[in-house]
Amino acid sequence: MRKKERYEKVIAWFQENVPVAETELHYNDPYELLIAVILSAQCTDKRVNMITPPLYRDFPTPEALAASTPEVIFEYIRSVSYPNNKAKHLVGMAKMLVNDFNSKVPDNMEDLIKLPGVGRKTANVIQSVVFNKAAMAVDTHVFRVSHRIGLVPDSCTTPFSVEKELVKNIPENLIPIAHHWLILHGRYVCQARTPKCDTCGLQMMCKYFCNTYKVTKEAPKAKNK
C-alpha cells in the first residue's frame, strides 16, 4: 500500500469510527492543562486526574502557585512519577508565567519551551489542545502506533522525526484531532505488549498486522469495533 493511500484510509477510518477524540486529562483552563501535562510525563492520565483537583483548588492561579514552594507542592503530587523534579518545575513554571508572560500561558513553541518542565511534546500538546494549532505531540503511543501502522518509515527514530513525517502527511486541519486518535488507539487498542489486533478496525491498513499475519489483498476486511 502506498503511503498516500495508507494515510487516506487510516484517516477516513478514524473520522468514521472516532469522530470525537480529545485529551483525557481533566482541566478547566490553559493554566490547569499546563500543570496536568507537566505532571503526565511518564505517568498515566488517570493518576494525574486523581491528584490535580486539590492542586487546582489550592493554587487556582499562577500567582498562587508561584508563591508556594516545591516542598509544599511535593505533598500534593507525591504519587506521580518524579515528584521532586515536577514540584520544582511547577513552581518555576508559575513564576515565569507571572514574571514574563503576564500570567498567561503562551501560544507558541518558542515561549512555551522556556517554561520549566516544558519540552517540545508538552508545548505541542498545549498548542494543539488549547489553541487548536496544527501541532503534533509525539509521545510513546504516537511513536509506536505510527510505526506499526506504517505511517512513518523505520528511519524515523526520534519523536521529532515522527512529528515531521506526520505533520507533512496529515491535512493541517486534522492534525489536532489526529494527535488524539493515535494516542487513544495506542492506549486502548495498539498496546505495547499485547496489541489487540483481532478487534482492531485498522487491520487491512496496518503494516504490522499484514506482515505479522501474512495478509494478502484477498484477505477479508476487518470488522469495525
Side-chain angles (χ1 to χ4, degrees):
M1 185 181 295
R2 294 183 179 273
K3 179 168 66 175
K4 181 179 179 182
E5 181 185 6
R6 192 186 305 278
Y7 269 94
E8 289 174 348
K9 289 180 177 293
V10 169
I11 289 171
W13 185 88
F14 276 121
Q15 286 179 313
E16 180 178 352
N17 294 277
V18 194
V20 177
E22 54 193 11
T23 181
E24 294 185 315
L25 291 169
H26 298 166
Y27 71 100
N28 297 297
D29 54 45
Y31 162 68
E32 289 186 356
L33 179 62
L34 183 54
I35 290 175
V37 178
I38 290 174
L39 290 172
S40 71
Q42 295 180 286
C43 185
T44 66
D45 288 1
K46 182 179 180 180
R47 169 59 56 183
V48 173
N49 289 335
M50 289 173 61
I51 69 166
T52 46
L55 194 62
Y56 296 160
R57 180 195 65 221
D58 293 349
F59 304 96
T61 64
E63 289 84 358
L65 184 54
S68 186
T69 66
E71 291 74 23
V72 170
I73 301 304
F74 174 86
E75 295 303 322
Y76 287 81
I77 68 169
R78 62 190 310 153
S79 65
V80 303
S81 58
Y82 308 107
N84 283 302
N85 285 338
K86 289 179 180 178
K88 294 175 184 176
H89 289 157
L90 289 179
V91 174
M93 172 274 290
K95 288 181 176 178
M96 187 172 284
L97 285 183
V98 172
N99 295 330
D100 297 352
F101 298 106
N102 196 31
S103 298
K104 302 294 184 183
V105 175
D107 65 354
N108 62 87
M109 173 69 71
E110 182 181 2
D111 287 335
L112 282 164
I113 60 176
K114 294 177 183 177
L115 299 169
V118 177
R120 185 174 185 88
K121 185 196 77 173
T122 297
N124 275 334
V125 171
I126 299 299
Q127 290 185 104
S128 174
V129 176
V130 175
F131 301 107
N132 200 38
K133 290 189 174 185
M136 174 62 69
V138 178
D139 66 355
T140 56
H141 295 303
V142 174
F143 190 89
R144 179 179 67 255
V145 171
S146 298
H147 280 94
R148 276 190 180 162
I149 293 175
L151 298 178
V152 301
D154 293 341
S155 58
C156 289
T157 58
T158 66
F160 185 49
S161 62
V162 170
E163 175 189 334
K164 289 194 296 182
E165 187 73 11
L166 293 174
V167 168
K168 182 173 69 176
N169 290 285
I170 296 173
E172 185 174 343
N173 65 307
L174 294 178
I175 289 174
I177 191 171
H179 159 68
H180 297 300
W181 282 337
L182 295 173
I183 285 179
L184 295 174
H185 195 68
R187 187 172 291 165
Y188 298 111
V189 182
C190 193
Q191 297 169 337
R193 294 184 178 179
T194 53
K196 300 178 181 179
C197 294
D198 57 333
T199 58
C200 178
L202 292 173
Q203 287 177 0
M204 300 310 298
M205 310 157 218
C206 177
K207 182 179 177 182
Y208 172 84
F209 179 86
C210 292
N211 288 343
T212 301
Y213 297 97
K214 311 299 182 185
V215 175
T216 65
K217 292 182 180 179
E218 290 72 35
K221 292 183 178 180
K223 294 184 292 183
N224 287 337
K225 289 178 63 180

